[in-house]
């Protein structure tokens, strides 16, 4: 089971979107979120939906993979919808009984907010589905580099992300091993109520932490012995280069934002 | 061969912080270019401390360590020393930094500030040398222990070192993995004239070295060719060390009256010597 774990939710296929520069993808995702928040009409959301659908086709990512990203957030989306529906003041009453009062304004607001939330998640899922965690951490490092002037540890942050990604499979394997070892000694991880089960985790977590600290010490020594001395004067094997496709992607995003602004003025 | 040794230890002592007695005391030795030196010792003998002193990870509390002529005490040479004397550690998992093999090999080069265009051929040739080229794009957790150690060797090779220090690099591997790693380093020693310091507690591995240094209770107690060192069977027992199985067998046979000569370390040695005794005509031809 551990042999083929995928890190994060990266969907490894080769597509136009996968090949885009991760820095550009990250910036464009932020631009997309801004665009979503500028939409004020249902027609605008239709445009956004069409855009996301088109991108998922380009990225060769099945649309239901994108929708899966919404699953953990479904309660928040429903809650947002209901809160806005019941508690937004308005004039044109649609339904009214007991303490519930739904107006046209509140219905519109509820639809708007939940759609925004949905598209926000779809946009960022598209980013994480098409960008490997390693390139994402590269992109974050480079984009944050200007912040080094105010002593923001951009390189260290990216190095931590890389090491965390590197050790996820190792620690998973170790967890598996410790779990089996403790089960052989009679530990029970599966039965009992929530409290008992949480307490059963202690003999799992303590050895795991001890070993993680030992690994950290070993790794620090190995890194030092290979001349690691921080980000200063460091070169990289992976060099990111902006290609024509990246400029085209930026152009398309500008078009989308333009369209939404125009729609906001006209309607 | 140049007469300046690759590594020289002169009255080196090292005491860990808050430790009552030194982990290594008054060690003196010189390792010449192209030597394959095995450092033997049981757990806690100070052999691992010795390894870390050779790479400027530890700075001696007393005495001097010279690596390729650089004193490890001088901080400005630290990176130069670490580039020239690469180190492989015991746990194969805890020394791989990157999520892809070739990027891990690049790690040292990135730290040295080697331009990207120069990195690629160096990585390729390093991976080819350890016969790991086809795994260049593999995630490290998919590799076996022996393969991980070979990746670690490649990471050091890419930095073009003159010395490789292996600190019990085979202790956590299975027999075939141990063989892979030892063979890789023996080949590097032979073909590229890289000096190897092989720290181990496996006698059979030490028997393949040019020279054996035995460390016990923080002191260098024996220093010589494997034949010379393992011949002192009683001395080795006294130091809580085994001798290679064939050396022990030769001794037993000798005590039973078989006229075997000294210096038998491997099965091949044994076969040759026994043949000489039981059918002298065959060995003569």
């Amino acid at each position: 089971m551990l042999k083929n774990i995928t890190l994060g939710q990266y969907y490894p296929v080769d597509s136009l979107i996968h090949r885009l520069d991760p820095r550009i993808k990250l910036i464009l995702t932020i631009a997309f979120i801004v665009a979503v928040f500028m939409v004020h009409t249902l027609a605008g959301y239709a445009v956004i939906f069409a855009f996301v659908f088109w991108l998922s086709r380009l990225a060769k990512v099945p649309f239901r993979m994108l929708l899966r990203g919404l699953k953990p957030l479904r309660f928040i989306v429903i809650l947002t919808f209901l809160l806005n529906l019941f508690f937004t003041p308005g004039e044109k009453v649609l339904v009214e009984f007991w303490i519930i009062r739904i107006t046209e304004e509140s219905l519109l607001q509820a639809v708007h907010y939940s759609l925004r939330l949905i598209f926000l998640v779809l946009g960022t899922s598209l980013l994480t589905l098409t960008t490997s965690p390693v390139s994402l951490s590269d992109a974050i490092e480079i984009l944050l580099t200007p912040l080094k002037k105010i002593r923001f540890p951009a390189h260290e942050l990216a190095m931590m992300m890389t090491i965390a990604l590197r050790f996820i499979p190792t620690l998973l394997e170790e967890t598996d091993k410790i779990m089996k070892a403790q089960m052989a000694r009679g530990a029970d991880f599966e039965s009992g109520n929530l409290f008992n089960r949480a307490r059963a985790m202690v003999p799992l977590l303590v050895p795991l932490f001890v070993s993680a600290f030992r690994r950290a010490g070993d790794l620090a020594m190995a890194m030092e012995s290979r001349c690691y001395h921080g980000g200063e004067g460091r070169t990289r094997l992976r060099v990111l280069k902006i290609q024509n496709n990246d400029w085209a992607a930026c152009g398309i995003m500008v078009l989308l934002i333009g369209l939404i602004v125009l729609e906001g003025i006209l309607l | 061969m140049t007469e300046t040794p690759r590594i020289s230890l002169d009255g080196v002592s090292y005491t860990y912080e808050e430790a009552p007695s030194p982990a290594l005391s008054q060690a003196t030795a010189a390792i010449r270019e192209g030597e394959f030196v095995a450092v033997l010792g049981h757990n806690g003998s100070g052999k691992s401390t010795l390894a870390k002193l050779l790479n400027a990870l530890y700075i001696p509390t007393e005495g001097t360590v010279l690596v390729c002529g650089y004193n490890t005490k001088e901080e400005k040479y630290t990176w130069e020393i670490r580039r020239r004397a690469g180190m492989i550690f015991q746990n194969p998992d805890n020394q791989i930094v990157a999520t892809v093999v070739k990027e891990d090999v690049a790690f040292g080069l990135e730290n040295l500030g080697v331009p990207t265009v120069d990195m690629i051929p160096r990585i390729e040739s390093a991976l080819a040398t350890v016969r790991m080229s086809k795994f260049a794009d593999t995630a490290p957790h998919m590799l076996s222990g022996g393969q991980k150690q070979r990746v670690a060797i490649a990471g050091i090779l890419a930095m073009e070192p003159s010395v490789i220090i292996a600190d019990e690099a085979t202790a956590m591997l299975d027999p075939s993995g141990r063989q892979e790693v030892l063979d890789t380093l023996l080949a590097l020693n032979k073909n590229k004239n890289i000096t190897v310091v092989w720290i181990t507690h496996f006698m059979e591995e030490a028997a393949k070295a040019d020279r054996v240094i035995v460390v016990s209770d923080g002191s260098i107690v024996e220093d010589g060719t494997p034949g010379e060192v393992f011949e002192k069977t009683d001395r080795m027992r006294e130091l809580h060390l085994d001798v290679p199985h064939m050396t022990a067998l030769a001794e037993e046979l000798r005590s039973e009256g078989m006229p075997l000569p000294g210096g038998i370390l491997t099965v091949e040695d044994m076969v040759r010597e026994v043949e000489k005794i039981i059918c002298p005509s065959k060995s003569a031809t």
Side-chain angles (χ1 to χ4, degrees), chain A residues 80-106:
Chain A
T80 310
F81 182 83
L82 293 179
L83 283 178
N84 278 296
L85 188 63
F86 296 141
F87 297 108
T88 312
E91 310 275 290
K92 299 172 196 152
V93 178
L94 294 175
V95 184
E96 193 170 15
F97 67 91
W98 192 39
I99 54 162
I100 291 170
R101 190 178 127 100
I102 295 170
T103 63
E104 200 179 305
E105 288 89 344
S106 74

mmCIF file of all heavy atoms in Angstrom, chain A residues 80-106:
data_model
loop_
_atom_site.group_PDB
_atom_site.id
_atom_site.type_symbol
_atom_site.label_atom_id
_atom_site.label_comp_id
_atom_site.label_asym_id
_atom_site.label_seq_id
_atom_site.Cartn_x
_atom_site.Cartn_y
_atom_site.Cartn_z
ATOM 1 N N THR A 80 -22.642 28.131 4.790
ATOM 2 C CA THR A 80 -22.578 29.473 4.213
ATOM 3 C C THR A 80 -23.890 29.802 3.512
ATOM 4 O O THR A 80 -24.451 30.892 3.679
ATOM 5 C CB THR A 80 -21.423 29.552 3.190
ATOM 6 O OG1 THR A 80 -20.248 29.038 3.784
ATOM 7 C CG2 THR A 80 -21.191 30.974 2.727
ATOM 8 N N PHE A 81 -24.370 28.818 2.760
ATOM 9 C CA PHE A 81 -25.605 29.036 2.020
ATOM 10 C C PHE A 81 -26.759 29.323 2.972
ATOM 11 O O PHE A 81 -27.483 30.303 2.843
ATOM 12 C CB PHE A 81 -25.906 27.796 1.165
ATOM 13 C CG PHE A 81 -27.130 27.926 0.313
ATOM 14 C CD1 PHE A 81 -27.058 28.568 -0.920
ATOM 15 C CD2 PHE A 81 -28.350 27.434 0.738
ATOM 16 C CE1 PHE A 81 -28.177 28.709 -1.701
ATOM 17 C CE2 PHE A 81 -29.477 27.567 -0.048
ATOM 18 C CZ PHE A 81 -29.398 28.207 -1.271
ATOM 19 N N LEU A 82 -26.906 28.493 4.009
ATOM 20 C CA LEU A 82 -28.039 28.630 4.927
ATOM 21 C C LEU A 82 -27.967 29.918 5.734
ATOM 22 O O LEU A 82 -28.962 30.622 5.896
ATOM 23 C CB LEU A 82 -28.105 27.414 5.859
ATOM 24 C CG LEU A 82 -28.454 26.088 5.176
ATOM 25 C CD1 LEU A 82 -28.459 24.966 6.182
ATOM 26 C CD2 LEU A 82 -29.792 26.182 4.451
ATOM 27 N N LEU A 83 -26.770 30.239 6.236
ATOM 28 C CA LEU A 83 -26.620 31.456 7.042
ATOM 29 C C LEU A 83 -27.010 32.677 6.241
ATOM 30 O O LEU A 83 -27.748 33.545 6.704
ATOM 31 C CB LEU A 83 -25.178 31.597 7.534
ATOM 32 C CG LEU A 83 -24.776 30.710 8.703
ATOM 33 C CD1 LEU A 83 -23.308 30.925 9.038
ATOM 34 C CD2 LEU A 83 -25.656 31.018 9.917
ATOM 35 N N ASN A 84 -26.496 32.722 4.995
ATOM 36 C CA ASN A 84 -26.808 33.875 4.151
ATOM 37 C C ASN A 84 -28.287 33.904 3.793
ATOM 38 O O ASN A 84 -28.895 34.965 3.710
ATOM 39 C CB ASN A 84 -25.963 33.847 2.883
ATOM 40 C CG ASN A 84 -24.587 34.404 3.131
ATOM 41 O OD1 ASN A 84 -24.433 35.580 3.450
ATOM 42 N ND2 ASN A 84 -23.580 33.563 3.035
ATOM 43 N N LEU A 85 -28.857 32.720 3.590
ATOM 44 C CA LEU A 85 -30.260 32.632 3.188
ATOM 45 C C LEU A 85 -31.170 33.170 4.286
ATOM 46 O O LEU A 85 -32.112 33.907 4.031
ATOM 47 C CB LEU A 85 -30.583 31.166 2.884
ATOM 48 C CG LEU A 85 -31.942 30.882 2.265
ATOM 49 C CD1 LEU A 85 -32.050 31.541 0.901
ATOM 50 C CD2 LEU A 85 -32.145 29.381 2.136
ATOM 51 N N PHE A 86 -30.875 32.818 5.534
ATOM 52 C CA PHE A 86 -31.783 33.170 6.633
ATOM 53 C C PHE A 86 -31.482 34.522 7.260
ATOM 54 O O PHE A 86 -32.370 35.149 7.818
ATOM 55 C CB PHE A 86 -31.726 32.083 7.717
ATOM 56 C CG PHE A 86 -32.207 30.750 7.242
ATOM 57 C CD1 PHE A 86 -31.581 29.580 7.628
ATOM 58 C CD2 PHE A 86 -33.304 30.678 6.384
ATOM 59 C CE1 PHE A 86 -32.029 28.352 7.164
ATOM 60 C CE2 PHE A 86 -33.751 29.450 5.923
ATOM 61 C CZ PHE A 86 -33.118 28.286 6.309
ATOM 62 N N PHE A 87 -30.250 34.962 7.184
ATOM 63 C CA PHE A 87 -29.911 36.135 7.984
ATOM 64 C C PHE A 87 -29.577 37.379 7.177
ATOM 65 O O PHE A 87 -29.121 38.355 7.723
ATOM 66 C CB PHE A 87 -28.768 35.794 8.949
ATOM 67 C CG PHE A 87 -29.152 34.738 9.943
ATOM 68 C CD1 PHE A 87 -28.637 33.451 9.869
ATOM 69 C CD2 PHE A 87 -30.091 35.032 10.932
ATOM 70 C CE1 PHE A 87 -29.021 32.478 10.771
ATOM 71 C CE2 PHE A 87 -30.476 34.061 11.832
ATOM 72 C CZ PHE A 87 -29.946 32.775 11.761
ATOM 73 N N THR A 88 -29.783 37.343 5.855
ATOM 74 C CA THR A 88 -29.550 38.553 5.079
ATOM 75 C C THR A 88 -30.851 39.358 5.033
ATOM 76 O O THR A 88 -31.886 38.831 4.649
ATOM 77 C CB THR A 88 -29.110 38.201 3.646
ATOM 78 O OG1 THR A 88 -28.085 37.228 3.738
ATOM 79 C CG2 THR A 88 -28.613 39.423 2.911
ATOM 80 N N PRO A 89 -30.790 40.599 5.465
ATOM 81 C CA PRO A 89 -32.004 41.410 5.413
ATOM 82 C C PRO A 89 -32.380 41.731 3.967
ATOM 83 O O PRO A 89 -31.512 41.845 3.103
ATOM 84 C CB PRO A 89 -31.621 42.674 6.182
ATOM 85 C CG PRO A 89 -30.138 42.735 6.111
ATOM 86 C CD PRO A 89 -29.634 41.334 5.994
ATOM 87 N N GLY A 90 -33.680 41.844 3.673
ATOM 88 C CA GLY A 90 -34.105 42.165 2.309
ATOM 89 C C GLY A 90 -35.538 42.633 2.298
ATOM 90 O O GLY A 90 -36.237 42.610 3.320
ATOM 91 N N GLU A 91 -36.022 43.083 1.134
ATOM 92 C CA GLU A 91 -37.352 43.671 1.007
ATOM 93 C C GLU A 91 -38.354 42.675 0.419
ATOM 94 O O GLU A 91 -39.410 42.440 0.972
ATOM 95 C CB GLU A 91 -37.283 44.901 0.088
ATOM 96 C CG GLU A 91 -36.190 45.891 0.448
ATOM 97 C CD GLU A 91 -36.634 46.881 1.513
ATOM 98 O OE1 GLU A 91 -37.486 47.732 1.175
ATOM 99 O OE2 GLU A 91 -36.139 46.801 2.662
ATOM 100 N N LYS A 92 -37.957 42.095 -0.736
ATOM 101 C CA LYS A 92 -38.924 41.262 -1.475
ATOM 102 C C LYS A 92 -38.999 39.868 -0.868
ATOM 103 O O LYS A 92 -38.143 39.029 -1.119
ATOM 104 C CB LYS A 92 -38.502 41.164 -2.948
ATOM 105 C CG LYS A 92 -38.460 42.508 -3.643
ATOM 106 C CD LYS A 92 -37.843 42.344 -5.020
ATOM 107 C CE LYS A 92 -37.413 43.666 -5.588
ATOM 108 N NZ LYS A 92 -36.309 43.538 -6.520
ATOM 109 N N VAL A 93 -40.045 39.675 -0.062
ATOM 110 C CA VAL A 93 -40.166 38.403 0.658
ATOM 111 C C VAL A 93 -40.652 37.302 -0.286
ATOM 112 O O VAL A 93 -41.594 37.484 -1.045
ATOM 113 C CB VAL A 93 -41.129 38.544 1.838
ATOM 114 C CG1 VAL A 93 -41.287 37.215 2.565
ATOM 115 C CG2 VAL A 93 -40.619 39.628 2.772
ATOM 116 N N LEU A 94 -39.968 36.177 -0.252
ATOM 117 C CA LEU A 94 -40.391 35.033 -1.068
ATOM 118 C C LEU A 94 -41.184 34.050 -0.230
ATOM 119 O O LEU A 94 -42.266 33.644 -0.577
ATOM 120 C CB LEU A 94 -39.176 34.333 -1.665
ATOM 121 C CG LEU A 94 -38.355 35.122 -2.681
ATOM 122 C CD1 LEU A 94 -37.126 34.333 -3.085
ATOM 123 C CD2 LEU A 94 -39.169 35.470 -3.903
ATOM 124 N N VAL A 95 -40.612 33.686 0.914
ATOM 125 C CA VAL A 95 -41.259 32.720 1.798
ATOM 126 C C VAL A 95 -41.206 33.290 3.207
ATOM 127 O O VAL A 95 -40.188 33.875 3.590
ATOM 128 C CB VAL A 95 -40.502 31.366 1.786
ATOM 129 C CG1 VAL A 95 -41.237 30.340 2.641
ATOM 130 C CG2 VAL A 95 -40.307 30.867 0.360
ATOM 131 N N GLU A 96 -42.263 33.133 3.945
ATOM 132 C CA GLU A 96 -42.219 33.574 5.335
ATOM 133 C C GLU A 96 -43.129 32.713 6.185
ATOM 134 O O GLU A 96 -44.311 32.606 5.918
ATOM 135 C CB GLU A 96 -42.617 35.043 5.445
ATOM 136 C CG GLU A 96 -42.290 35.615 6.818
ATOM 137 C CD GLU A 96 -42.456 37.120 6.857
ATOM 138 O OE1 GLU A 96 -43.078 37.680 5.943
ATOM 139 O OE2 GLU A 96 -41.972 37.726 7.836
ATOM 140 N N PHE A 97 -42.552 32.002 7.151
ATOM 141 C CA PHE A 97 -43.380 31.317 8.134
ATOM 142 C C PHE A 97 -42.565 31.166 9.411
ATOM 143 O O PHE A 97 -41.344 31.051 9.388
ATOM 144 C CB PHE A 97 -43.872 29.961 7.602
ATOM 145 C CG PHE A 97 -42.804 28.928 7.392
ATOM 146 C CD1 PHE A 97 -42.451 28.024 8.398
ATOM 147 C CD2 PHE A 97 -42.131 28.853 6.175
ATOM 148 C CE1 PHE A 97 -41.463 27.084 8.201
ATOM 149 C CE2 PHE A 97 -41.148 27.902 5.987
ATOM 150 C CZ PHE A 97 -40.808 27.017 6.977
ATOM 151 N N TRP A 98 -43.271 31.195 10.524
ATOM 152 C CA TRP A 98 -42.646 31.132 11.838
ATOM 153 C C TRP A 98 -41.517 32.165 11.915
ATOM 154 O O TRP A 98 -41.740 33.326 11.651
ATOM 155 C CB TRP A 98 -42.181 29.688 12.096
ATOM 156 C CG TRP A 98 -41.779 29.395 13.503
ATOM 157 C CD1 TRP A 98 -42.365 29.844 14.637
ATOM 158 C CD2 TRP A 98 -40.680 28.605 13.904
ATOM 159 N NE1 TRP A 98 -41.715 29.381 15.728
ATOM 160 C CE2 TRP A 98 -40.672 28.605 15.322
ATOM 161 C CE3 TRP A 98 -39.699 27.868 13.230
ATOM 162 C CZ2 TRP A 98 -39.713 27.923 16.061
ATOM 163 C CZ3 TRP A 98 -38.769 27.183 13.965
ATOM 164 C CH2 TRP A 98 -38.771 27.209 15.368
ATOM 165 N N ILE A 99 -40.234 31.748 12.237
ATOM 166 C CA ILE A 99 -39.193 32.769 12.304
ATOM 167 C C ILE A 99 -38.403 32.832 10.995
ATOM 168 O O ILE A 99 -37.457 33.592 10.859
ATOM 169 C CB ILE A 99 -38.222 32.522 13.492
ATOM 170 C CG1 ILE A 99 -37.660 31.101 13.417
ATOM 171 C CG2 ILE A 99 -38.890 32.810 14.823
ATOM 172 C CD1 ILE A 99 -36.419 30.892 14.247
ATOM 173 N N ILE A 100 -38.737 31.988 10.028
ATOM 174 C CA ILE A 100 -37.953 31.952 8.801
ATOM 175 C C ILE A 100 -38.507 32.941 7.796
ATOM 176 O O ILE A 100 -39.717 33.035 7.590
ATOM 177 C CB ILE A 100 -37.927 30.516 8.241
ATOM 178 C CG1 ILE A 100 -37.098 29.650 9.191
ATOM 179 C CG2 ILE A 100 -37.338 30.475 6.834
ATOM 180 C CD1 ILE A 100 -37.167 28.197 8.904
ATOM 181 N N ARG A 101 -37.578 33.687 7.195
ATOM 182 C CA ARG A 101 -37.988 34.723 6.261
ATOM 183 C C ARG A 101 -36.967 34.730 5.133
ATOM 184 O O ARG A 101 -35.798 35.078 5.327
ATOM 185 C CB ARG A 101 -37.985 36.057 7.005
ATOM 186 C CG ARG A 101 -38.596 37.210 6.281
ATOM 187 C CD ARG A 101 -38.544 38.410 7.216
ATOM 188 N NE ARG A 101 -37.912 39.523 6.535
ATOM 189 C CZ ARG A 101 -38.625 40.506 5.985
ATOM 190 N NH1 ARG A 101 -39.928 40.521 6.077
ATOM 191 N NH2 ARG A 101 -37.992 41.489 5.351
ATOM 192 N N ILE A 102 -37.364 34.262 3.984
ATOM 193 C CA ILE A 102 -36.435 34.230 2.856
ATOM 194 C C ILE A 102 -36.846 35.308 1.868
ATOM 195 O O ILE A 102 -37.994 35.364 1.427
ATOM 196 C CB ILE A 102 -36.424 32.843 2.187
ATOM 197 C CG1 ILE A 102 -35.867 31.806 3.179
ATOM 198 C CG2 ILE A 102 -35.583 32.843 0.920
ATOM 199 C CD1 ILE A 102 -36.024 30.386 2.731
ATOM 200 N N THR A 103 -35.886 36.163 1.541
ATOM 201 C CA THR A 103 -36.176 37.233 0.587
ATOM 202 C C THR A 103 -35.394 36.972 -0.687
ATOM 203 O O THR A 103 -34.479 36.141 -0.708
ATOM 204 C CB THR A 103 -35.763 38.597 1.158
ATOM 205 O OG1 THR A 103 -34.354 38.570 1.339
ATOM 206 C CG2 THR A 103 -36.464 38.887 2.458
ATOM 207 N N GLU A 104 -35.730 37.728 -1.728
ATOM 208 C CA GLU A 104 -35.018 37.577 -2.990
ATOM 209 C C GLU A 104 -33.539 37.920 -2.809
ATOM 210 O O GLU A 104 -32.660 37.211 -3.297
ATOM 211 C CB GLU A 104 -35.646 38.489 -4.035
ATOM 212 C CG GLU A 104 -35.319 38.062 -5.452
ATOM 213 C CD GLU A 104 -35.983 38.966 -6.470
ATOM 214 O OE1 GLU A 104 -37.216 39.139 -6.422
ATOM 215 O OE2 GLU A 104 -35.243 39.505 -7.309
ATOM 216 N N GLU A 105 -33.277 38.994 -2.036
ATOM 217 C CA GLU A 105 -31.886 39.419 -1.807
ATOM 218 C C GLU A 105 -31.108 38.333 -1.074
ATOM 219 O O GLU A 105 -29.971 38.029 -1.427
ATOM 220 C CB GLU A 105 -31.831 40.716 -0.987
ATOM 221 C CG GLU A 105 -32.248 41.941 -1.731
ATOM 222 C CD GLU A 105 -33.761 42.187 -1.630
ATOM 223 O OE1 GLU A 105 -34.488 41.242 -1.239
ATOM 224 O OE2 GLU A 105 -34.197 43.292 -1.942
ATOM 225 N N SER A 106 -31.737 37.769 -0.059
ATOM 226 C CA SER A 106 -30.999 36.777 0.727
ATOM 227 C C SER A 106 -30.717 35.534 -0.105
ATOM 228 O O SER A 106 -29.645 34.951 -0.013
ATOM 229 C CB SER A 106 -31.764 36.422 2.003
ATOM 230 O OG SER A 106 -32.865 35.595 1.691
#
